[in-house]
Amino acid sequence: MPSPRLEWAIASCIAGWAVARLTAADRFRPLERAAVPLLSFTPQAAAGAGLAAVALRGRGPSATAGLAAAALTAVAVNLQYGRAAGEGLVRLARRTGADVLFLQELTGDAVIRLKLAGLGEMLPNEMLDVEEYRYRGSGIYARYPLREGLAIGPSYASQPTARLDLPSGQSVHLVCVHPHPPMPPWNLPSAPRWRGELAALPAAGDPPVVLAGDFNATLDHAQFRRLLRLGHVDAASQVGRGLVPTWGPEPRGRPALLAFDHVLVDPRCAVLATSAHRVPGSDHKALYARFRMPS
């Protein structure tokens, strides 16, 4: 049986996490290097808080943990280096009937492999920004014509944009999102660079804007919630799947832990379905979203 001192230590840590989340501690520049990576794990901390509320024997520690669990639950109701490019990815795009495919960590070799696997036959229009250095390349493939898109600020990894013209005569702006990761905490420029690249993403507008890709952020990050205040909505959250994890530290059968990948759409869009799919060779799941454009 844990000692009262240990019980209070556990409860205090849980309550401290709740306070950090509720006060958006990752907004404060002196704290962001540590707070941004840690707050990614808020759903896991919320689950731990719920268990602690049951397991702790002392009335004071148990009540403290229970309150933290309620607070955290209330606010959290939400290619690796080109290796995953190939037949498996093309099969997934075909099976889901994708009209647009956003790819991050896209290399020149990956582009060739995708072409040989038949991606161009299904999605013949492309807007690519490929770099061979690690994960910097990205691209947009589409069933319908693409032309020059919105101008956004510079970023460490490429974030191509395009304007998609639909057969109905409607258009939609597309942005393939991949900001610099805000970690590790000891790398001083990482978190500010991540914050600045998220801040450079466009607000919702007319024509509608779709932001899709690896945001390196969860709904528990204040900078991500700022995007939602700019008029976007998270497609997965609209159908009750906002907490479904899409990233894990290794691609070799390890479980996905964090919801880093998102499709943000115009609030006038009706989100019909979202799902996450394993892609061999990648440490991310592919995120699929199906939604209806506004009339």
Side-chain angles (χ1 to χ4, degrees):
M1 175 179 175
S3 67
R5 183 175 297 176
L6 178 58
E7 289 199 350
W8 272 112
I10 294 171
S12 297
C13 288
I14 294 168
W17 200 303
V19 171
R21 171 59 179 86
L22 290 171
T23 60
D26 53 319
R27 292 181 306 166
F28 301 103
R29 305 294 169 82
L31 302 177
E32 69 178 354
R33 280 195 293 149
V36 169
L38 285 173
L39 285 176
S40 301
F41 293 92
T42 295
Q44 289 85 347
L51 291 173
V54 175
L56 297 180
R57 301 291 184 89
R59 184 172 297 175
S62 178
T64 302
L67 287 172
L72 288 166
T73 302
V75 297
V77 166
N78 169 312
L79 221 207
Q80 179 175 33
Y81 309 149
R83 296 171 188 165
E87 293 181 357
L89 180 60
V90 174
R91 281 197 300 269
L92 175 63
R94 183 175 290 115
R95 187 170 73 246
T96 58
D99 294 310
V100 182
L101 181 63
F102 300 86
L103 297 178
Q104 303 85 50
E105 303 196 15
L106 182 66
T107 63
D109 179 66
V111 171
I112 293 170
R113 284 187 276 119
L114 288 168
K115 183 177 181 179
L116 292 174
L119 183 62
E121 299 168 13
M122 181 174 56
L123 302 175
N125 304 285
E126 60 186 43
M127 191 72 72
L128 310 182
D129 189 353
V130 176
E131 295 191 30
E132 294 305 320
Y133 180 75
R134 292 173 67 87
Y135 57 81
R136 289 192 182 186
S138 296
I140 302 172
Y141 290 83
R143 189 180 306 276
Y144 306 116
L146 295 173
R147 50 190 167 112
E148 203 68 30
L150 296 168
I152 61 174
S155 57
Y156 183 78
S158 60
Q159 298 190 109
T161 70
R163 181 164 173 153
L164 176 72
D165 295 324
L166 298 167
S168 63
Q170 294 173 293
S171 294
V172 57
H173 283 297
L174 309 174
V175 181
C176 187
V177 178
H178 194 198
H180 192 282
M183 54 189 83
W186 55 86
N187 186 331
L188 295 178
S190 291
R193 180 182 284 163
W194 166 85
R195 172 175 25 90
E197 292 182 6
L198 283 177
L201 294 174
D206 198 16
V209 177
V210 174
L211 309 178
D214 173 12
F215 287 72
N216 280 307
T218 72
L219 286 162
D220 292 300
H221 288 119
Q223 292 298 328
F224 185 81
R225 297 195 303 277
R226 175 191 165 277
L227 286 173
L228 303 184
R229 292 196 298 273
L230 291 177
H232 306 289
V233 296
D234 180 70
S237 296
Q238 296 300 295
V239 292
R241 297 179 61 84
L243 292 177
V244 174
T246 60
W247 177 84
E250 290 289 342
R252 302 175 185 85
R254 307 277 179 91
L257 296 174
L258 303 172
F260 276 174
D261 303 87
H262 307 275
V263 176
L264 303 189
V265 300
D266 189 283
R268 297 168 295 172
C269 296
V271 180
L272 306 177
T274 68
S275 52
H277 305 262
R278 289 199 175 275
V279 180
S282 177
D283 54 347
H284 287 257
K285 289 184 176 182
L287 182 62
Y288 164 77
R290 181 168 166 247
F291 52 92
R292 182 180 295 117
M293 297 295 295
S295 306

